[in-house]
mmCIF file with all atom_site columns, all heavy atoms in Angstrom:
data_model
loop_
_atom_site.group_PDB
_atom_site.id
_atom_site.type_symbol
_atom_site.label_atom_id
_atom_site.label_alt_id
_atom_site.label_comp_id
_atom_site.label_asym_id
_atom_site.label_entity_id
_atom_site.label_seq_id
_atom_site.pdbx_PDB_ins_code
_atom_site.Cartn_x
_atom_site.Cartn_y
_atom_site.Cartn_z
_atom_site.occupancy
_atom_site.B_iso_or_equiv
_atom_site.pdbx_formal_charge
_atom_site.auth_seq_id
_atom_site.auth_comp_id
_atom_site.auth_asym_id
_atom_site.auth_atom_id
_atom_site.pdbx_PDB_model_num
ATOM   1   N N   . LYS A 1 7   ? -19.095 10.027 -5.226 1.00 98.00 ? 28  LYS A N   1
ATOM   2   C CA  . LYS A 1 7   ? -18.562 8.679  -5.466 1.00 98.00 ? 28  LYS A CA  1
ATOM   3   C C   . LYS A 1 7   ? -19.507 7.623  -4.877 1.00 98.00 ? 28  LYS A C   1
ATOM   4   O O   . LYS A 1 7   ? -19.989 7.769  -3.751 1.00 98.00 ? 28  LYS A O   1
ATOM   5   C CB  . LYS A 1 7   ? -17.172 8.560  -4.833 1.00 98.00 ? 28  LYS A CB  1
ATOM   6   C CG  . LYS A 1 7   ? -16.561 7.169  -4.950 1.00 98.00 ? 28  LYS A CG  1
ATOM   7   C CD  . LYS A 1 7   ? -16.557 6.434  -3.628 1.00 98.00 ? 28  LYS A CD  1
ATOM   8   C CE  . LYS A 1 7   ? -16.236 4.971  -3.741 1.00 98.00 ? 28  LYS A CE  1
ATOM   9   N NZ  . LYS A 1 7   ? -16.234 4.286  -2.444 1.00 98.00 ? 28  LYS A NZ  1
ATOM   10  N N   . GLY A 1 9   ? -19.726 3.587  -3.998 1.00 97.00 ? 30  GLY A N   1
ATOM   11  C CA  . GLY A 1 9   ? -18.962 2.351  -3.847 1.00 97.00 ? 30  GLY A CA  1
ATOM   12  C C   . GLY A 1 9   ? -19.748 1.158  -4.381 1.00 97.00 ? 30  GLY A C   1
ATOM   13  O O   . GLY A 1 9   ? -20.940 1.265  -4.690 1.00 97.00 ? 30  GLY A O   1
ATOM   14  N N   . GLY A 1 10  ? -19.072 0.024  -4.462 1.00 95.00 ? 31  GLY A N   1
ATOM   15  C CA  . GLY A 1 10  ? -19.682 -1.192 -4.996 1.00 95.00 ? 31  GLY A CA  1
ATOM   16  C C   . GLY A 1 10  ? -20.968 -1.561 -4.268 1.00 95.00 ? 31  GLY A C   1
ATOM   17  O O   . GLY A 1 10  ? -21.934 -2.035 -4.873 1.00 95.00 ? 31  GLY A O   1
ATOM   18  N N   . SER A 1 11  ? -20.989 -1.300 -2.934 1.00 93.00 ? 32  SER A N   1
ATOM   19  C CA  . SER A 1 11  ? -22.166 -1.672 -2.151 1.00 93.00 ? 32  SER A CA  1
ATOM   20  C C   . SER A 1 11  ? -23.391 -0.842 -2.546 1.00 93.00 ? 32  SER A C   1
ATOM   21  O O   . SER A 1 11  ? -24.526 -1.260 -2.324 1.00 93.00 ? 32  SER A O   1
ATOM   22  C CB  . SER A 1 11  ? -21.872 -1.492 -0.662 1.00 93.00 ? 32  SER A CB  1
ATOM   23  O OG  . SER A 1 11  ? -21.425 -0.187 -0.420 1.00 93.00 ? 32  SER A OG  1
ATOM   24  N N   . ARG A 1 45  ? -20.177 -6.834 -4.718 1.00 89.00 ? 66  ARG A N   1
ATOM   25  C CA  . ARG A 1 45  ? -19.050 -7.433 -3.999 1.00 89.00 ? 66  ARG A CA  1
ATOM   26  C C   . ARG A 1 45  ? -18.818 -8.833 -4.530 1.00 89.00 ? 66  ARG A C   1
ATOM   27  O O   . ARG A 1 45  ? -19.573 -9.306 -5.378 1.00 89.00 ? 66  ARG A O   1
ATOM   28  C CB  . ARG A 1 45  ? -19.362 -7.479 -2.501 1.00 89.00 ? 66  ARG A CB  1
ATOM   29  C CG  . ARG A 1 45  ? -19.601 -6.094 -1.913 1.00 89.00 ? 66  ARG A CG  1
ATOM   30  C CD  . ARG A 1 45  ? -18.911 -5.909 -0.560 1.00 89.00 ? 66  ARG A CD  1
ATOM   31  N NE  . ARG A 1 45  ? -18.835 -4.491 -0.226 1.00 89.00 ? 66  ARG A NE  1
ATOM   32  C CZ  . ARG A 1 45  ? -19.431 -3.934 0.823  1.00 89.00 ? 66  ARG A CZ  1
ATOM   33  N NH1 . ARG A 1 45  ? -20.134 -4.680 1.636  1.00 89.00 ? 66  ARG A NH1 1
ATOM   34  N NH2 . ARG A 1 45  ? -19.308 -2.650 1.058  1.00 89.00 ? 66  ARG A NH2 1
ATOM   35  N N   . THR A 1 177 ? -21.998 5.569  0.570  1.00 97.00 ? 198 THR A N   1
ATOM   36  C CA  . THR A 1 177 ? -21.716 4.170  0.890  1.00 97.00 ? 198 THR A CA  1
ATOM   37  C C   . THR A 1 177 ? -22.935 3.518  1.546  1.00 97.00 ? 198 THR A C   1
ATOM   38  O O   . THR A 1 177 ? -24.050 4.041  1.429  1.00 97.00 ? 198 THR A O   1
ATOM   39  C CB  . THR A 1 177 ? -20.422 4.105  1.750  1.00 97.00 ? 198 THR A CB  1
ATOM   40  O OG1 . THR A 1 177 ? -20.103 2.747  1.986  1.00 97.00 ? 198 THR A OG1 1
ATOM   41  C CG2 . THR A 1 177 ? -20.559 4.851  3.071  1.00 97.00 ? 198 THR A CG2 1
ATOM   42  N N   . ASP A 1 178 ? -22.724 2.368  2.208  1.00 96.00 ? 199 ASP A N   1
ATOM   43  C CA  . ASP A 1 178 ? -23.872 1.643  2.752  1.00 96.00 ? 199 ASP A CA  1
ATOM   44  C C   . ASP A 1 178 ? -24.071 1.876  4.250  1.00 96.00 ? 199 ASP A C   1
ATOM   45  O O   . ASP A 1 178 ? -24.851 1.199  4.888  1.00 96.00 ? 199 ASP A O   1
ATOM   46  C CB  . ASP A 1 178 ? -23.748 0.134  2.456  1.00 96.00 ? 199 ASP A CB  1
ATOM   47  C CG  . ASP A 1 178 ? -22.512 -0.482 3.084  1.00 96.00 ? 199 ASP A CG  1
ATOM   48  O OD1 . ASP A 1 178 ? -21.643 0.274  3.577  1.00 96.00 ? 199 ASP A OD1 1
ATOM   49  O OD2 . ASP A 1 178 ? -22.405 -1.717 3.102  1.00 96.00 ? 199 ASP A OD2 1
ATOM   50  N N   . GLY A 1 181 ? -22.293 7.122  7.704  1.00 98.00 ? 202 GLY A N   1
ATOM   51  C CA  . GLY A 1 181 ? -21.139 8.022  7.751  1.00 98.00 ? 202 GLY A CA  1
ATOM   52  C C   . GLY A 1 181 ? -20.012 7.317  8.468  1.00 98.00 ? 202 GLY A C   1
ATOM   53  O O   . GLY A 1 181 ? -20.057 6.092  8.650  1.00 98.00 ? 202 GLY A O   1
ATOM   54  N N   . LYS A 1 183 ? -18.295 6.165  11.632 1.00 98.00 ? 204 LYS A N   1
ATOM   55  C CA  . LYS A 1 183 ? -18.834 5.907  12.967 1.00 98.00 ? 204 LYS A CA  1
ATOM   56  C C   . LYS A 1 183 ? -17.708 5.700  13.966 1.00 98.00 ? 204 LYS A C   1
ATOM   57  O O   . LYS A 1 183 ? -16.552 5.531  13.583 1.00 98.00 ? 204 LYS A O   1
ATOM   58  C CB  . LYS A 1 183 ? -19.741 4.687  12.913 1.00 98.00 ? 204 LYS A CB  1
ATOM   59  C CG  . LYS A 1 183 ? -20.974 4.987  12.077 1.00 98.00 ? 204 LYS A CG  1
ATOM   60  C CD  . LYS A 1 183 ? -21.923 3.817  12.044 1.00 98.00 ? 204 LYS A CD  1
ATOM   61  C CE  . LYS A 1 183 ? -23.179 4.179  11.300 1.00 98.00 ? 204 LYS A CE  1
ATOM   62  N NZ  . LYS A 1 183 ? -24.244 4.659  12.185 1.00 98.00 ? 204 LYS A NZ  1
ATOM   63  N N   . ASP A 1 186 ? -16.713 0.179  13.584 1.00 98.00 ? 207 ASP A N   1
ATOM   64  C CA  . ASP A 1 186 ? -17.405 -0.500 12.484 1.00 98.00 ? 207 ASP A CA  1
ATOM   65  C C   . ASP A 1 186 ? -18.778 -0.982 12.972 1.00 98.00 ? 207 ASP A C   1
ATOM   66  O O   . ASP A 1 186 ? -18.855 -1.809 13.892 1.00 98.00 ? 207 ASP A O   1
ATOM   67  C CB  . ASP A 1 186 ? -16.549 -1.696 12.025 1.00 98.00 ? 207 ASP A CB  1
ATOM   68  C CG  . ASP A 1 186 ? -17.146 -2.394 10.810 1.00 98.00 ? 207 ASP A CG  1
ATOM   69  O OD1 . ASP A 1 186 ? -18.341 -2.176 10.515 1.00 98.00 ? 207 ASP A OD1 1
ATOM   70  O OD2 . ASP A 1 186 ? -16.417 -3.162 10.169 1.00 98.00 ? 207 ASP A OD2 1
ATOM   71  N N   . ASN A 1 188 ? -20.768 -2.996 11.875 1.00 96.00 ? 209 ASN A N   1
ATOM   72  C CA  . ASN A 1 188 ? -20.992 -4.438 11.745 1.00 96.00 ? 209 ASN A CA  1
ATOM   73  C C   . ASN A 1 188 ? -20.551 -5.189 12.996 1.00 96.00 ? 209 ASN A C   1
ATOM   74  O O   . ASN A 1 188 ? -20.968 -6.312 13.227 1.00 96.00 ? 209 ASN A O   1
ATOM   75  C CB  . ASN A 1 188 ? -20.213 -4.997 10.545 1.00 96.00 ? 209 ASN A CB  1
ATOM   76  C CG  . ASN A 1 188 ? -20.944 -4.707 9.261  1.00 96.00 ? 209 ASN A CG  1
ATOM   77  O OD1 . ASN A 1 188 ? -22.170 -4.694 9.234  1.00 96.00 ? 209 ASN A OD1 1
ATOM   78  N ND2 . ASN A 1 188 ? -20.195 -4.428 8.212  1.00 96.00 ? 209 ASN A ND2 1
ATOM   79  N N   . LYS A 1 213 ? -12.418 0.962  7.071  1.00 93.00 ? 234 LYS A N   1
ATOM   80  C CA  . LYS A 1 213 ? -12.361 0.911  5.603  1.00 93.00 ? 234 LYS A CA  1
ATOM   81  C C   . LYS A 1 213 ? -13.435 1.760  4.914  1.00 93.00 ? 234 LYS A C   1
ATOM   82  O O   . LYS A 1 213 ? -13.502 1.790  3.688  1.00 93.00 ? 234 LYS A O   1
ATOM   83  C CB  . LYS A 1 213 ? -12.420 -0.539 5.117  1.00 93.00 ? 234 LYS A CB  1
ATOM   84  C CG  . LYS A 1 213 ? -13.784 -1.173 5.184  1.00 93.00 ? 234 LYS A CG  1
ATOM   85  C CD  . LYS A 1 213 ? -13.770 -2.443 4.354  1.00 93.00 ? 234 LYS A CD  1
ATOM   86  C CE  . LYS A 1 213 ? -15.170 -2.957 4.197  1.00 93.00 ? 234 LYS A CE  1
ATOM   87  N NZ  . LYS A 1 213 ? -15.376 -3.976 3.262  1.00 93.00 ? 234 LYS A NZ  1
ATOM   88  N N   . VAL A 1 214 ? -14.213 2.494  5.692  1.00 96.00 ? 235 VAL A N   1
ATOM   89  C CA  . VAL A 1 214 ? -15.286 3.303  5.106  1.00 96.00 ? 235 VAL A CA  1
ATOM   90  C C   . VAL A 1 214 ? -14.741 4.363  4.140  1.00 96.00 ? 235 VAL A C   1
ATOM   91  O O   . VAL A 1 214 ? -15.416 4.765  3.207  1.00 96.00 ? 235 VAL A O   1
ATOM   92  C CB  . VAL A 1 214 ? -16.185 3.905  6.221  1.00 96.00 ? 235 VAL A CB  1
ATOM   93  C CG1 . VAL A 1 214 ? -15.408 4.858  7.113  1.00 96.00 ? 235 VAL A CG1 1
ATOM   94  C CG2 . VAL A 1 214 ? -17.416 4.561  5.662  1.00 96.00 ? 235 VAL A CG2 1
HETATM 95  P P1  . ADP B 2 .   ? -18.076 0.988  -0.472 1.00 69.92 ? 512 ADP B P1  1
HETATM 96  O O1  . ADP B 2 .   ? -18.510 -0.200 -1.272 1.00 69.92 ? 512 ADP B O1  1
HETATM 97  O O2  . ADP B 2 .   ? -19.134 2.041  -0.423 1.00 69.92 ? 512 ADP B O2  1
HETATM 98  O O3  . ADP B 2 .   ? -16.727 1.532  -0.852 1.00 69.92 ? 512 ADP B O3  1
HETATM 99  P P2  . ADP B 2 .   ? -16.848 -0.149 1.917  1.00 69.92 ? 512 ADP B P2  1
HETATM 100 O O4  . ADP B 2 .   ? -17.217 -1.557 2.210  1.00 69.92 ? 512 ADP B O4  1
HETATM 101 O O5  . ADP B 2 .   ? -15.507 0.119  1.342  1.00 69.92 ? 512 ADP B O5  1
HETATM 102 O O6  . ADP B 2 .   ? -18.020 0.480  1.022  1.00 69.92 ? 512 ADP B O6  1
HETATM 103 O O7  . ADP B 2 .   ? -16.980 0.747  3.249  1.00 69.92 ? 512 ADP B O7  1
HETATM 104 C C1  . ADP B 2 .   ? -18.166 0.726  3.998  1.00 69.92 ? 512 ADP B C1  1
HETATM 105 C C2  . ADP B 2 .   ? -18.037 -0.246 5.162  1.00 69.92 ? 512 ADP B C2  1
HETATM 106 O O8  . ADP B 2 .   ? -16.987 0.205  6.031  1.00 69.92 ? 512 ADP B O8  1
HETATM 107 C C3  . ADP B 2 .   ? -19.235 -0.321 6.048  1.00 69.92 ? 512 ADP B C3  1
HETATM 108 O O9  . ADP B 2 .   ? -20.194 -1.246 5.555  1.00 69.92 ? 512 ADP B O9  1
HETATM 109 C C4  . ADP B 2 .   ? -18.652 -0.719 7.408  1.00 69.92 ? 512 ADP B C4  1
HETATM 110 O O10 . ADP B 2 .   ? -18.848 -2.088 7.676  1.00 69.92 ? 512 ADP B O10 1
HETATM 111 C C5  . ADP B 2 .   ? -17.163 -0.488 7.259  1.00 69.92 ? 512 ADP B C5  1
HETATM 112 N N1  . ADP B 2 .   ? -16.580 0.303  8.351  1.00 69.92 ? 512 ADP B N1  1
HETATM 113 C C6  . ADP B 2 .   ? -15.451 -0.019 9.027  1.00 69.92 ? 512 ADP B C6  1
HETATM 114 N N2  . ADP B 2 .   ? -15.192 0.873  9.972  1.00 69.92 ? 512 ADP B N2  1
HETATM 115 C C7  . ADP B 2 .   ? -16.146 1.824  9.907  1.00 69.92 ? 512 ADP B C7  1
HETATM 116 C C8  . ADP B 2 .   ? -16.430 3.023  10.640 1.00 69.92 ? 512 ADP B C8  1
HETATM 117 N N3  . ADP B 2 .   ? -15.638 3.452  11.636 1.00 69.92 ? 512 ADP B N3  1
HETATM 118 N N4  . ADP B 2 .   ? -17.513 3.740  10.293 1.00 69.92 ? 512 ADP B N4  1
HETATM 119 C C9  . ADP B 2 .   ? -18.322 3.332  9.288  1.00 69.92 ? 512 ADP B C9  1
HETATM 120 N N5  . ADP B 2 .   ? -18.124 2.203  8.564  1.00 69.92 ? 512 ADP B N5  1
HETATM 121 C C10 . ADP B 2 .   ? -17.062 1.445  8.871  1.00 69.92 ? 512 ADP B C10 1
#
Side-chain angles (χ1 to χ4, degrees):
K28 176 253 168 180
S32 54
R66 300 223 164 117
T198 184
D199 61 349
K204 293 182 176 266
D207 184 343
N209 281 326
K234 76 165 190 169
V235 63

